[in-house]
Amino acid sequence: MYKLTWMFFAFISLVLPVLSSPAPMPAPEEHHELQARMTNSGTWYSPEFDWTYAANQLVEAMTKNLYDRIRIAESHYGRGTWYYPGLGNCGWNNNAQELVVAIPKTLYDRNGGRNCGQMVQISYQGKSVQAKTVDSCPGCGTDGLDMSPATFEHLAPLSVGVLQIEWHFM
């Protein structure tokens, strides 16, 4: 969480000065007809584009994305099952030997698929494994995961079938 916060403020400190700086002056041939649009300070101002509004929209979007990522970084407790992966909702074709998971369809839809490729850490009885999000799982409720056989076997034998797991996005 601290890493995300640091990255957010670092990005803002780099982007905000650029967005709040004035736009470049027009080409010399356009200068005469546009000279009336210049402010008293001599910086170019375009009434068609509001830099303050754009900066505010960017900060709002980044804040919402950061909030969503922090919210989903919380631990989830649910059923862990296994499946044979193939072509998943994220558009990738995976196999049983890869460390991949399908997250709950409700979570996938709520985040618009933005979790594709995001790593999760799954824990069960003192064991843990990291896997990549590649698909959604309609039968996983709100907190379950469907794991590839390779992922599941890092936690328990496939014959166990269903585990009560704890997991979170990384």
Side-chain angles (χ1 to χ4, degrees):
M1 185 163 105
Y2 296 111
K3 185 177 179 182
L4 287 175
T5 304
W6 178 84
M7 288 172 40
F8 171 74
F9 286 111
F11 183 77
I12 289 297
S13 67
L14 292 173
V15 171
L16 201 54
V18 172
L19 289 178
S20 61
S21 65
M25 291 295 291
E29 60 273 2
E30 300 171 338
H31 183 71
H32 296 293
E33 65 187 59
L34 300 175
Q35 192 170 13
R37 294 186 186 175
M38 297 201 47
T39 64
N40 291 337
S41 66
T43 58
W44 169 248
Y45 172 74
S46 170
E48 293 85 23
F49 190 81
D50 184 352
W51 287 101
T52 304
Y53 176 77
N56 288 338
Q57 290 297 100
L58 176 64
V59 169
E60 183 179 319
M62 289 175 55
T63 304
K64 181 185 181 315
N65 191 348
L66 179 64
Y67 172 75
D68 286 346
R69 291 185 72 78
I70 289 171
R71 187 182 67 212
I72 61 176
E74 298 170 348
S75 289
H76 300 266
Y77 301 88
R79 287 172 24 119
T81 54
W82 62 273
Y83 77 113
Y84 287 109
L87 179 61
N89 249 3
C90 296
W92 304 315
N93 209 346
N94 299 98
N95 62 53
Q97 290 76 40
E98 295 178 85
L99 298 177
V100 295
V101 297
I103 62 172
K105 179 87 167 94
T106 54
L107 183 59
Y108 179 90
D109 290 343
R110 183 174 73 211
N111 293 318
R114 288 190 312 256
N115 298 108
C116 288
Q118 191 171 3
M119 298 299 288
V120 296
Q121 181 163 336
I122 310 156
S123 301
Y124 173 73
Q125 293 185 352
K127 298 177 184 175
S128 68
V129 63
Q130 295 176 2
K132 183 167 78 169
T133 303
V134 298
D135 201 355
S136 66
C137 172
C140 287
T142 57
D143 291 308
L145 285 182
D146 228 355
M147 299 174 262
S148 67
T151 305
F152 193 96
E153 286 181 319
H154 272 79
L155 304 172
L158 294 180
S159 59
V160 174
V162 179
L163 309 173
Q164 290 302 314
I165 58 169
E166 176 184 352
W167 65 276
H168 65 273
F169 287 104
M170 301 179 64

